[in-house]
Amino acid sequence: MTCHPGEPDDTGSRRTESCPVRAFVTRLTPEGRGAIAVVRIWGPDAVDVASALFRPQGQLRLDQTAPSRLRLGRIGEALGDEVVAVVLEAAVPTVEVQCHGGAAAVELVITALEKAGAQRCDRWRVTEQAASDRLSAEALNDLAHAPTILTAEILLDQAQGAFRRELVRLTEAIDQQPVQALAVVEELIRRAAVGVRLPPGWGVVIAGPPNLGKGRFLNGLAGFPRAIVDPAPGTTRDVVTIRTSFGGWPVEIVDTAGLRRTEDAIENLGIAMSQREQERADLVLLVLDR
Ligand SMILES: Nc1nc2c(ncn2[C@@H]2O[C@H](COP(=O)(O)OP(=O)(O)O)[C@@H](O)[C@H]2O)c(=O)[nH]1
Ligand SMILES: [Mg+2]
């Protein structure tokens, strides 16, 4: 059964027996190191759970603090992490804890909350609640990983219902201007190919015979010496990847082993890898000797 803490059940009372989870905890900010991370606790017992752990710098406990007031204190075993906690004004009791952003600090805080009775869950649950529909939720989720401003702008637009607005426009046009409606459908299908590339980007593979400057080309695009460049043919065996963007569009560029007949077993593995990469690429840049 899906558990939504804080939602009244059919009888109007808070779920207790059918739903034992009285507080959920998740990290709101994306994975990876940052100066600050935000941890959210929500559910009927969220304020109690957080307040029991929060060691305020001042006198008042967290559950005695007015909503929206930021409080400095500590959470976590031993010294714990120095955090800012705030009770939010929300339909479901909710507390947000801003802790240090390193993986260990976040883990310290979440583990403490788990031990106090909160159930750890995926950020997706919060995203789903915040968004108006599934597509907006996915866009909001992807927004956390947007590699460029352009992709962030598109994903933000989607998170705010761009697709839904297009569908409304489409349904209005179907009766009155069917030709225009068809054009909208075609445009949406065309843009779908772009949408699925956000945020991972497009895959570009550099391939071709050995010793033609593929590695040097990759390094030029990267702006730093990523691949080994050497006069000896067959130097590149592994797949060498960089992430960059062109005009705001994210691209993953993959340099691969030069394609030739060889007795070298390791080089042959590299050539097989190159062929696999070419099959799944959006674009293969074949480098040839003129
Ligand atoms: N003259 C000249 N030499 C190049 C150029 N690009 C690469 N090379 C040289 O060609 C050799 C092979 O280059 P590399 O990038 O390793 O080729 P790959 O085997 O295709 O990856 C190296 O000695 C490079 O210095 C270029 O544009 N001009
Ligand atoms: Mg090479």
Side-chain angles (χ1 to χ4, degrees):
M1 174 191 160
T2 322
C3 191
H4 297 286
E7 282 181 7
D9 63 16
D10 296 343
T11 62
S13 64
R14 298 280 168 195
R15 285 180 186 147
T16 45
E17 283 164 44
S18 59
C19 178
V21 182
R22 304 278 299 169
F24 281 122
V25 58
T26 191
R27 176 189 177 137
L28 277 193
T29 37
E31 303 308 315
R33 193 139 58 123
I36 288 173
V38 179
V39 171
R40 178 176 287 186
I41 311 112
W42 75 101
D45 291 351
V47 179
D48 295 340
V49 167
S51 188
L53 286 180
F54 182 71
R55 306 192 291 279
Q57 203 185 50
Q59 296 299 315
L60 284 184
R61 295 195 314 263
L62 190 62
D63 59 3
Q64 297 168 324
T65 306
S68 304
R69 288 290 299 261
L70 301 180
R71 296 292 311 280
L72 185 65
R74 290 190 167 274
I75 285 186
E77 275 179 14
L79 191 58
D81 189 30
E82 187 171 54
V83 303
V84 171
V86 58
V87 177
L88 298 188
E89 273 177 283
V92 175
T94 305
V95 176
E96 274 186 12
V97 173
Q98 298 157 24
C99 60
H100 287 95
V106 180
E107 197 48 39
L108 187 82
V109 170
I110 293 185
T111 306
L113 287 159
E114 256 188 320
K115 280 188 185 163
Q119 181 182 302
R120 187 194 294 246
C121 70
D122 199 71
R123 179 174 48 237
W124 176 246
R125 209 184 264 263
V126 180
T127 314
E128 259 184 326
Q129 282 167 2
S132 53
D133 55 60
R134 172 86 197 202
L135 198 91
S136 299
E138 290 200 9
L140 207 55
N141 207 42
D142 283 347
L143 192 57
H145 309 284
T148 64
I149 291 176
L150 179 65
T151 52
E153 279 171 353
I154 295 171
L155 289 166
L156 190 61
D157 193 26
Q158 286 299 334
Q160 291 169 354
F163 185 66
R164 186 162 287 273
R165 284 197 301 277
E166 287 295 307
L167 289 186
V168 169
R169 201 158 70 91
L170 182 63
T171 42
E172 281 168 3
I174 280 173
D175 289 335
Q176 288 132 32
Q177 300 148 305
V179 177
Q180 199 184 328
L182 199 62
V184 173
V185 173
E186 279 166 2
E187 176 70 6
L188 287 177
I189 292 172
R190 199 178 59 77
R191 284 199 216 146
V194 176
V196 295
R197 299 301 193 288
L198 307 180
W202 284 260
V204 178
V205 167
I206 306 172
N211 227 21
L212 292 183
K214 298 187 295 301
R216 185 161 176 255
F217 180 43
L218 180 90
N219 292 347
L221 292 173
F224 64 94
R226 174 69 180 87
I228 297 173
V229 171
D230 194 83
T235 305
T236 310
R237 276 109 180 267
D238 248 332
V239 165
V240 180
T241 302
I242 59 154
R243 284 192 169 276
T244 183
S245 66
F246 298 121
W249 300 109
V251 178
E252 185 187 62
I253 304 177
V254 183
D255 180 28
T256 59
L259 307 171
R260 65 166 176 177
R261 289 196 178 283
T262 169
E263 299 298 312
D264 187 317
I266 298 172
E267 200 182 336
N268 274 324
L269 288 176
I271 291 168
M273 266 186 164
S274 171
Q275 277 153 353
R276 273 203 300 281
E277 290 295 327
Q278 288 179 55
E279 279 161 23
R280 66 178 197 97
D282 293 299
L283 176 72
V284 178
L285 286 178
L286 193 59
V287 180
L288 298 169
D289 187 359
R290 294 187 66 213

